Amino acid sequence: MKYKKQKYNIYEKIRIFKILSIVLIITFLFSIPIVIQKVIKIEKIECESQYGECDEVIVNSLQLTGNYRDTKKIIKQKLEKDVLINSYLIQYQIPNKLKIDINLKKPRYAIFNGSKYFLIDKDGLIINESNETNLPTLKKDGDNLVVAEKINEKDKFALSIISGLTYLYSINSGNIINNELKVISNEGIIIRFPLEGDKDVLLGSLRLIFSRLNDGTKGIRIEDTKEIDLRFKNPVLR
């Protein structure tokens, strides 16, 4: 009986030893990448976006040196906080370089305020400044626009209207005056829009009006029209 008990104790010790060995091996295997990442020194960082080399501000913020693990961690934190970056990829290149590919948010609209254009993405975020642009543009004064901040909902709605007009009629700009959007058609007609509502309904109404004006068989002709006012439930032509 005593012999069997000793034999059982030996088997139990062997089993525990095996379990501990497996745990140690797994721990060791998982720790190898961390150790290697801490040993590798990063001495050079390259950054590119879809437009070429990264902006100087971004490049300067990423000029870090140290071990691979810590450097990558800090860079990820910086990139994730940058509201102008849509996505990014960090790659290690032998022997001591990090290659960063950045996908920047793309401008869809512009607001001309004073002497420069503020470029706006699809969500209404101001992502850059420029001296010129071919984007659908809203012209207005008075607001203090800042890169990395969002525009207000009325400006965003006005830009969506102008974008639709650009696609339909090549009308590329408009002005906000007295709490309404004013644009001028290629025929010289003033078109007045509200700063809220259903964009598709407004543009659909305008298409219908132009279709009837261009018909010319009856009623008001396009050459007799000076203004189309879409701010009311029933459009007004003058």
Side-chain angles (χ1 to χ4, degrees), residues 161-215:
I161 292 288
I162 297 171
S163 179
L165 294 173
T166 301
Y167 176 75
L168 293 171
Y169 304 111
S170 299
I171 300 173
N172 198 46
S173 65
N175 296 67
I176 287 184
I177 301 174
N178 296 328
N179 205 35
E180 65 179 90
L181 172 65
K182 285 187 179 181
V183 300
I184 299 177
S185 74
N186 298 323
E187 297 82 8
I189 300 173
I190 297 173
I191 309 171
R192 305 170 72 177
F193 291 92
L195 296 180
E196 58 185 3
D198 190 317
K199 178 197 72 172
D200 294 329
V201 170
L202 291 169
L203 293 176
S205 298
L206 184 64
R207 291 186 68 181
L208 182 59
I209 291 170
F210 271 129
S211 176
R212 291 182 177 178
L213 289 176
N214 285 316
D215 181 23

Side-chain angles (χ1 to χ4, degrees), residues 42-191:
I42 299 300
E43 297 180 358
K44 186 176 182 181
I45 296 176
E46 290 185 358
C47 179
E48 290 186 358
S49 72
Q50 68 267 43
Y51 306 115
E53 292 186 3
C54 290
D55 181 87
E56 185 177 350
V57 175
I58 295 178
V59 172
N60 290 338
S61 71
L62 300 179
Q63 291 307 309
L64 307 167
T65 57
N67 68 65
Y68 169 76
R69 185 171 181 269
D70 293 342
T71 302
K72 183 178 179 181
K73 181 180 179 181
I74 294 173
I75 288 176
K76 285 180 65 176
Q77 291 174 345
K78 287 179 175 290
L79 296 178
E80 288 172 1
K81 289 180 180 179
D82 195 325
V83 296
L84 306 183
I85 295 175
N86 191 40
S87 61
Y88 63 88
L89 175 65
I90 303 174
Q91 295 177 302
Y92 168 67
Q93 294 183 345
I94 297 174
N96 56 6
K97 183 170 74 173
L98 281 185
K99 175 69 166 53
I100 304 172
D101 292 301
I102 291 176
N103 182 267
L104 295 170
K105 293 180 179 179
K106 298 178 181 179
R108 180 174 291 187
Y109 321 108
I111 292 180
F112 184 73
N113 188 345
S115 60
K116 55 188 173 183
Y117 295 88
F118 292 85
L119 307 185
I120 320 292
D121 79 345
K122 61 183 181 64
D123 298 317
L125 181 71
I126 304 172
I127 61 176
N128 211 340
E129 299 177 6
S130 177
N131 293 323
E132 57 183 16
T133 184
N134 292 321
L135 294 169
T137 300
L138 174 64
K139 298 177 181 179
K140 59 175 300 186
D141 296 319
D143 287 351
N144 183 26
L145 301 179
V146 180
V147 173
E149 292 187 1
K150 283 194 172 185
I151 61 175
N152 63 57
E153 289 300 318
K154 289 186 176 181
D155 288 353
K156 187 177 177 181
F157 183 79
L159 284 168
S160 70
I161 292 288
I162 297 171
S163 179
L165 294 173
T166 301
Y167 176 75
L168 293 171
Y169 304 111
S170 299
I171 300 173
N172 198 46
S173 65
N175 296 67
I176 287 184
I177 301 174
N178 296 328
N179 205 35
E180 65 179 90
L181 172 65
K182 285 187 179 181
V183 300
I184 299 177
S185 74
N186 298 323
E187 297 82 8
I189 300 173
I190 297 173
I191 309 171

